[in-house]
Amino acid sequence: MLGDGDEKLLSLFDYILFALTLLGSFLVGAYFGLSKNKPRTTEEYLIGGKSVNVLPIAISLVASGISGNTFLAVPADIYKFGSNYVWTLLADCIGFLATYYIFLPIYFNLQVVSIFEYLEQRFDKNVRRLTSVLNLCATLCYAPLVLYLPSLAFSQVSGIPVHAITVVTCLTCTLYTTVGGFKAVVWTDALQFVLMVGSVIAVVGIGAHSVGGLWQALAIAVRGDRWEIFNFDLTSRNPLWGPMVGHIFFALSTLTMNQGAIQKYMGLKKFQDVKKCICLHLVGHIALKWMTVLIGNVAYAKYVECDVLQSHKIAKIDQLVPYFVLDIAGSIKGLPGLFIAGMFSAALSSLSSTLNATAATIYEDIILPFISKNTTQRQNTNIIKAIVAVLGILTILMAFLVERVGGIYPFTLSLQGSFGGPLVGIFILGVLVPAANSKGTLLGGIAGVLLTGWIAFGNTVYKIQGLLPTEEKPASVEKCTPFVNLTITQAKVGSSDDIFVLYTVSFWYYSAVSTATVVIVGLVISLLTKKGNVTINKNLLSPMVHFALRKEPPPSVYYNVNTKGDDIDAIHELNSKD
């Protein structure tokens, strides 16, 4: 519910729009799961049998890459701390370029369903198992976050308990993902994308109009220090280098090492289609993230003289955007419902892709080695469906813990830094460092997880104790009606003089720190444990580093891209395993 201010609730028409969103998603999944087009093999279930065209896959990538948290948590963070987030747009462009030129050619050439299968071919089973576990941990922590903020928003404006909303939406998503597989995920994403775009454009347009236009809103934000984006202090919460440089590694972890995204690219027939798809993906991704920046600035301009948090109109900052939407458009029948439907569309698209991709990883990396060769395709498909169902149930259970988290956006980046950053480092060692071996990569990955987890834990403890500066931008309650007996607040400053320096590192750097740790530790240990010259199949390395390979003729035996299981063990010595 809201804070002490007036409650603003949805109309019947808004509830109908929300119900139609869930129903439409379910019907799409049911169509692909129960009709003649239903998946009959594991390949059809996991990557659609390579029969889906570029446009729907590109739309699905955009929709699943922009979660409801992006539309709700990012504007709230900008409202409170400023627009440094805008630098992530540049970092994303670099991440997309690296994905296309360095990593995707290798994945596409090998035609792997699980991206972690590549790591077994490049290193060994232990490295593959480590990355699969990291991916599973990240999923179990991230999936509940995807649903929590949209559920909180709906609860805020409806009075329905947040956990009841979470259970219903998660069950709906799990059901259509389980039944329909890859094609259901892609086409429901396309439907949900339309709602996302429509709702966000409407909110930005109406919000800007309420404060005198978009340029006026941005001018107010500039005067309120919300565009103080050239901050070069490395220890600051929002330095320029954090979102510009640190976010590159976060972007790589959500693009290049994201099983869901790569799985969709692998669903395309030709690599030429990948180029078209990634261009569309980049344009849509940047456009929607820019809209979240505008929402945060417009909301600040709306409440520049009466901060909604200090005046207790909302209970916590993550409730800002739903309150803002109802404030500017509560009288327009259906628009609040459209916005809530759009936010849930973003959440559902992210969650369905996560469930489908994680099921693929668990099946390929953990279960497949123990399955009899006599198992039919139908039985294998049913196993994957069961995995999706179990993951959905675990997501619901984990969602009950999310409300104890503070700010959602920094927590999400911290989480991704702890689990996603080491994955980036491991793949960089595999693709770009010929000298890396399995022992060094394994120990480097473990070191990256432990170091970043330790930093994030210590940072959280001191933040809860109020010993770290929060660096909030100034906010005013001068013209609140009725008058609120508060003064303008300046950035809150804690006392961090006696705190270990690593605990003061901004969450923006977590992915970069963990990636660098994995690469440095992995390379050093690889060099120390090197056992003579090892020939590596150049198909497992980026063309950018082929010059570093030995010039003598390669051995006559290489990995076959379809080689699995015990056959891989038999020829590891001719590859990169020491």
Side-chain angles (χ1 to χ4, degrees), residues 107 171 333 386 509 524 530:
Y107 298 152
L171 285 177
K333 185 177 295 186
Y509 296 117
V524 169
K530 182 179 180 181

Side-chain angles (χ1 to χ4, degrees), residues 62 137 468 508:
V62 175
C137 291
L468 290 175
W508 289 109

Side-chain angles (χ1 to χ4, degrees), residues 84-242:
N84 274 53
Y85 177 83
V86 73
W87 291 117
T88 66
L89 304 184
L90 177 60
D92 285 335
C93 291
I94 297 173
F96 272 87
L97 289 173
T99 299
Y100 177 72
Y101 285 104
I102 299 176
F103 297 96
L104 275 176
I106 297 176
Y107 298 152
F108 208 84
N109 180 51
L110 297 177
Q111 286 296 303
V112 292
V113 174
S114 166
I115 58 174
F116 308 115
E117 184 180 343
Y118 159 80
L119 294 174
E120 183 174 353
Q121 295 189 32
R122 175 64 175 86
F123 298 113
D124 63 12
K125 289 182 179 179
N126 291 328
V127 175
R128 180 176 181 174
R129 290 191 185 107
L130 172 64
T131 53
S132 296
V133 170
L134 290 177
N135 180 69
L136 181 59
C137 291
T139 298
L140 293 178
C141 295
Y142 174 72
L145 291 173
V146 169
L147 275 182
Y148 174 71
L149 272 188
S151 298
L152 177 65
F154 192 31
S155 174
Q156 177 182 338
V157 298
S158 67
I160 301 174
V162 63
H163 294 305
I165 300 169
T166 302
V167 169
V168 171
T169 52
C170 188
L171 285 177
T172 302
C173 182
T174 302
L175 188 58
Y176 75 70
T177 304
T178 301
V179 172
F182 180 83
K183 289 184 179 179
V185 170
V186 169
W187 287 105
T188 51
D189 283 353
L191 169 66
Q192 292 155 0
F193 175 79
V194 174
L195 291 172
M196 289 165 54
V197 173
S199 63
V200 171
I201 291 176
V203 169
V204 172
I206 296 173
H209 178 74
S210 70
V211 296
L214 185 58
W215 289 114
Q216 176 67 12
L218 293 175
I220 294 172
V222 169
R223 292 195 296 270
D225 291 336
R226 263 56 184 183
W227 279 90
E228 188 183 356
I229 61 176
F230 294 98
N231 178 6
F232 296 96
D233 182 3
L234 291 175
T235 63
S236 170
R237 180 192 187 273
N238 288 313
L240 178 148
W241 307 114

Side-chain angles (χ1 to χ4, degrees), residues 282-296:
L282 174 61
V283 171
H285 184 82
I286 296 298
L288 284 179
K289 287 186 70 171
W290 174 246
M291 298 298 281
T292 66
V293 174
L294 294 181
I295 291 175

Side-chain angles (χ1 to χ4, degrees), residues 102-103 106-107 110 115 118-124 127 131 256-257 422-438 440-442 515 518-519 522-523 526 536-546 549 575-576:
I102 299 176
F103 297 96
I106 297 176
Y107 298 152
L110 297 177
I115 58 174
Y118 159 80
L119 294 174
E120 183 174 353
Q121 295 189 32
R122 175 64 175 86
F123 298 113
D124 63 12
V127 175
T131 53
T256 306
M257 290 81 204
L423 289 178
V424 176
I426 290 172
F427 275 92
I428 287 177
L429 286 173
V431 172
L432 294 176
V433 185
N437 62 24
S438 56
T441 302
L442 181 67
T515 299
V518 173
V519 172
L523 181 57
S526 294
I536 303 173
N537 180 0
K538 68 178 183 179
N539 291 328
L540 300 175
L541 295 169
S542 169
M544 297 174 61
V545 297
H546 284 179
L549 298 177
N575 245 309
S576 60

Side-chain angles (χ1 to χ4, degrees), residues 434-462:
N437 62 24
S438 56
K439 184 177 294 184
T441 302
L442 181 67
L443 294 177
I446 294 173
V449 174
L450 293 178
L451 177 63
T452 313
W454 169 52
I455 294 173
F457 177 78
N459 179 276
T460 301
V461 169
Y462 283 110

